[in-house]
Amino acid sequence: MDIRAASPNFRDIHFMDIHEVPEEEEHEEEEEAGIAQAAEKVDKRSKKQFKLREAKRPQRSFSRQVSLETGVSALTNESNAKNQRHVLLERSGRSFGGFGSSHRTSNGVDQGRKGDFNLFRTKSTLTKQHSAILSNLRKEVDQMDIDRDNNDRGSGRGDDERVNESVPAGRYFAALKGPELDQIKDSEDILLPKDKKWPFLLRFPIGCFGICLGLSSQAILWRALATSPATKFLHITPLINVILWLLALAVLLSVSITYVLKCIFYFEAVKREYFHPVRVNFFFAPWVVCMFLAIGVPPIIAHEALHPALWCTFMAPYFFLELKIYGQWLSGGKRRLCKVANPSSHLSVVGNFVGAILASKVGWNEAGKFLWAVGFAHYLVVFVTLYQRLPTSEALPKELHPVYSMFIAAPSAASIAWETIYGEFDGLSRTCYFIALFLYVSLVVRINFFTGFRFSVAWWSYTFPMTTASLATIKYAEQVPCVMSRGLALSLSFMSSTMVAVLFVSTLLHAFVWHTLFPNDLAIAITKRKHGKEKKPLKKAYDIRRWAKQSPLSFVSAIRKNNSANRDSDEEIVGY
């Protein structure tokens, strides 16, 4: 006979044709009872599966009463549709700056960011208006890319870095090399193509303000050579001071306008330079140059004394930036002084002494004394930190040796500032000057420190310490007039001016003849973390593992002690 499971969803189960066999009646009753139980079990199972499917899957407009072969094909089509949708979302990630793109080669190299310089462009207001609309889609893309990013990190290609995030200070020391940490190491990869010329603004570094530092300080030097009693016998015309001052002013205006355009169009690149441990100090340079030009203004241009508003205009942004940088040094963290200290850190200190000189020129001696005290205190901290190089600090590359000339700038400027405020080159001024002179000599005898490095615009900043030492020597020759002091002043001034002339000619050749003055600025395109598997600290895991190893032993030993104590007590009771 035909027995069919009575179920509303009988099409979802298998059917059986059971034929009657001529046997005894008792066997037929047992067989019918067993078949009924089996059909009942199948019916319950099918109902349970149907309920689970209805709870997990959304309602479909078409029937699920398909064969096994048709169901397999339907599942295959669904999986293909999911993969296709996933690929489309991945490719749309290019609109978010090129990250999360699926354009990769067989080696895992991301091809979506090749030539995409929009990574460092300033975000437009239109993008900000549509940020609310795109936020949900970004979350979906990021969520789907989590697993793929984890796999990419294991294979050495992680695309989770974001350009607008701060790069740890240690990454710059680990990924870069060169005198100014501007060259990428061979083992590192960058976010932009190396074999393609970048836009000019993206290649324009903040180190160009070093040219302004060198020229403006030279204008002050030649004014001192023309007016100082110690060098009066040279009969130097003041016209040299006027020419150098106008040249420095023109260079400052051109560099400032260019860098302002970079801030407008490539603000993300400017942020990268701000987080750079060396270049962050060059953000003080524009205001130091302005104060230099105010101090060395020719008498032909400025007949009257300088107005105090000029000092407030130049010193206010420098002071606020100083509060930010010194606060990071003081509060600690990843950018504390022992982690980011390098010789160019003296640029953030020298401005205090230059501001003290300008404050004295405008008649505010008390403000000058305040700045001198702040600058001298932080100079001592920076000097000691760089001198001893703590084991916990970042390793200073040997290619950074030319920057050691910045050691001369701070004590030289401190001696000049003290003499300008108090009107006498007294014991403290001479102490600072002698420190600078000793450091100068100790660097000159090490010629190999300054050899074997390619030309860079940041080399201009190394002329500024030499010029400051020459100015301090002229002040010393005025107080101690003798052949030796005058000869030393002329020698240092000649060395400084020669260095500026050589760099000026080299800059013109690299800019207009060889067209190599501004190569690709690879330093701003490093990744936030090194590609490949990183060794994570295992301190917590080690502690857990140690506790897991020790705790069972201690638990067992405690149980044994309790059992032995109980056994002893039982024996005592029995003996009693």
Side-chain angles (χ1 to χ4, degrees), residues 242-373:
V242 177
I243 295 174
L244 289 174
W245 192 87
L246 293 175
L247 179 62
L249 179 62
V251 173
L252 175 62
L253 290 176
S254 60
V255 173
S256 299
I257 292 174
T258 306
Y259 203 78
V260 167
L261 293 176
K262 182 177 180 179
C263 294
I264 295 174
F265 295 103
Y266 293 99
F267 187 70
E268 301 297 338
V270 175
K271 289 171 61 177
R272 283 294 187 100
E273 288 191 299
Y274 176 77
F275 293 125
H276 195 285
V278 174
R279 296 190 185 184
V280 64
N281 302 289
F282 284 91
F283 282 87
F284 295 94
W287 315 111
V288 176
V289 173
C290 291
M291 289 186 283
F292 270 151
L293 293 177
I295 294 171
V297 59
I300 302 176
I301 299 176
H303 301 283
E304 300 179 356
L306 299 176
H307 196 274
L310 195 65
W311 177 83
C312 296
T313 303
F314 297 152
M315 196 62 205
Y318 184 96
F319 186 75
F320 287 122
L321 183 60
E322 189 177 51
L323 288 177
K324 175 66 175 178
I325 300 300
Y326 290 177
Q328 293 177 351
W329 294 357
L330 182 63
S331 61
K334 294 182 179 180
R335 299 187 183 275
R336 59 185 181 272
L337 184 59
C338 65
K339 288 289 185 181
V340 300
N342 58 85
S344 63
S345 301
H346 288 99
L347 266 177
S348 60
V349 178
V350 172
N352 292 286
F353 302 123
V354 179
I357 296 173
L358 184 59
S360 179
K361 293 285 186 181
V362 301
W364 288 5
N365 286 333
E366 292 302 318
K369 295 175 184 178
F370 168 76
L371 291 177
W372 193 95

Side-chain angles (χ1 to χ4, degrees), residues 74 349 352 373 436 454 467-468 484 489 552:
V349 178
N352 292 286
R454 65 180 181 86
T467 306
T468 309
M484 185 175 179

